[in-house]
Amino acid sequence: EIVLTQSPGTLSLSPGEGATLSCRASQSVLSDYLDWYQQKPGQAPRLLIFGTSSRATGIPDRFRGSGSGTDFTLTITRLEPEDFAVYYCQHYDPSPPQGTFGQGTKLEIK
Amino acid sequence: EVQLVESGGGLVQPGRSLRLSCAASGFTFDDYGMHWVRQAPGKGLEWVAGLTWNSGNIGYADSVRGRFSITRDNAKKSLFLQMNSLRPEDTALYYCAKQYYRGAFDIWGQGTRVTVSS
C-alpha cells in the first residue's frame, strides 16, 4: 500500500509570495496517477493538477505541478488571497481501484 | 450543468446500516468511473471505494472492506454506497466524485453527513 506524506503540515506565507508544497510517496508511482486538490473551509475539494503537471479546467497558470518517482511538488507563484486553503496530493491505482490521499498541507496567511 | 448530489446521510447507531445515494447530471454517467471519498470532522480526505464505468472493477479501502458495498445504476445515473456494521469511526462527510483522467476526480458533490453514535 502506497503512503503519501505531505510537507510541510502548515505553511505560513503572505500574498504575493511563492509556495512550494511537497508530496512524497512510499514507493515509486506513475506520474499519470498523481494529482493535487485544493479544499477551502466548508467546500468540496477541487481538482487543481492531474497527471503530475496538467492543470485542470479553469486553474490559473500560477499553479504548477512537477515531479516523478517518489517526489512530487505543487508550486504556487505569486499567492493570491483566494489561494489560502488546504492542499492534498492523491495517488490512484486503477486495478483494482485504490485511492490514497496525503494528509494535506494547510497554506495560511502570515 | 455538471452536478453530483449526495443523499441518505444521517444519525445512526453503531452496528446499524445506511445507504448513500449520488445522483449525477450534466454528463454521460456511464462513461466514467465513480468513487466515494469521506472526510471525518476536522480531518483529511480518505478514499473509501470506487468502481469502473461498467462495475467490472471495484475497490475498497481496507478500513471499509467487507462492510461497505459500492454499486451503480447507469440507467438511473446513480451511485450508491451500502454501509453495514457502522462504527463511530465511520462518522464523516461522504462525497461522491467523478473520475476524470486516469485517477483524478474532477467533479465532486457537496457531501452527505453520516454520524454513527449511540
Side-chain angles (χ1 to χ4, degrees), chain A residues 1 32-33 35 37 39 42-47 49-51 88 90 92 94-103, chain B residues 35 37 39 43-47 50 57-62 65 95 99-106 108-110:
Chain A
E1 177 187 340
D32 277 354
Y33 293 98
D35 313 300
Y37 299 84
Q39 188 179 34
Q43 296 184 15
R46 177 174 72 149
L47 177 64
I49 301 288
F50 62 93
Y88 296 93
Q90 182 214 7
Y92 182 76
S95 190
Q98 191 77 216
T100 304
F101 287 93
Q103 82 277 20
Chain B
H35 299 263
V37 176
Q39 187 167 35
K43 303 297 184 183
L45 302 173
E46 179 187 16
W47 178 85
N57 212 354
I58 298 175
Y60 297 95
D62 289 345
R65 187 175 293 113
Y95 295 104
Q99 185 173 335
Y100 172 53
Y101 176 86
R102 305 296 189 186
F105 303 157
D106 65 328
W108 297 65
Q110 283 305 301

